[in-house]
Amino acid sequence: SNTNQAVDQVLLKLCEMYGTESDIVNEGQIIRVGNIDNEALKNDWFEYVSLEGNATRLSRDLTKELEQSESTLQEIKLKAEENNKILILFQSLNEAEAAIKKVSQDIESGQLTVKRNHKKSSALSKALEKLNLELESVRSSSTLSKIFKRSEQKIGFDINNTTHSIENLAQSTLEIEQSLTKLKEENSTSFDLLSKLQFKTKEYKYSIILNKKGVLDKEYNDIYRVIVDIKQKIEDLQKSILSSAKVVGSTVTKTFISKDIFTNFDVVIIDEASMVMLPALYYVAGLSSEKVIVSGDFKQLPPIVPTNEKEIKETIGIDIFNSAGIEDKIKIGVKVSNIVMLKEQYRMDSK
């Protein structure tokens, strides 16, 4: 029709005639495309006739299932996050144990070196003691007996070498001991961290937590796929509402403005045709594959053409009744079979 109100009145009449219990209304087969001006149609039938209302109403169960699935997904996500926190603790524990193991190996190696150095130092000290005794014996010997003993020079040389070896060994041992002390101090926090991690993970078993991760990941993916499927069903439902409708109501203007929506019609009914410009009327009529019904009152206002050009007004400013010659026939008294006087109207107040 030419106006929203006229479209609304027809659809309101259909809705009231069939009621919400009928399939044609309940399944969203009467659809209003565009703005609804009629208050009764808007307030009482919006969820049955509008695309938005039908999409919401018909997808209610799917929407509820979607909400439940999203809630379940959130619960699984929270469980997975908690489980992953425990896995991270185990990962940190493994890293800490590996680090501590290396430190412990370094400490043990250093302690063994210190122990060996002490043993070497003890042996060298005994050797030095013997060398000193040997030197003292040579010095106290007679000239003749000195011939059969090592010279003081050689003994002195060995004493000096042994003394240097003891000193070097002592210095090396000191450095290692200082290094061990520093290593222990630097890694004291690592030892504390290891103790804390061992405490936090003692009530869990790694294999069970790892297996739980796999289970939760599978549950998450399964529910996610369900959600994607539900959303697709809702989207498909919204697309199918218009294509499965038996009656679609709209203004002529909306019809060619939103031309992608309006396709595959068997019958097109054009109301208030006297106010519709001929190009628009022909366009709408072309949407039908079987039949076109044109109705209206040529005594109403003609099409509104916003131009002062006479040729334009004379070409598209006339209505279909004038173009078909019906108005001229009425003027000269020719009886036209498809002209009737309406005895009922719905626009004016009943008073």
Side-chain angles (χ1 to χ4, degrees), residues 128-147:
L128 181 62
E129 184 178 351
K130 288 181 179 180
L131 288 171
N132 285 325
L133 290 174
E134 183 183 2
L135 180 61
E136 184 179 344
S137 174
V138 170
R139 286 175 177 173
S140 59
S141 297
S142 62
T143 304
L144 182 61
S145 47
K146 285 181 180 180
I147 297 173

Side-chain angles (χ1 to χ4, degrees), residues 70 74 126 139 147 154 200 204 254 291 333 346:
E70 287 179 335
Q74 185 62 24
K126 289 180 180 180
R139 286 175 177 173
I147 297 173
K154 288 183 178 180
K200 289 180 179 179
Y204 305 108
K254 181 68 175 176
K291 185 186 295 184
Y346 298 92

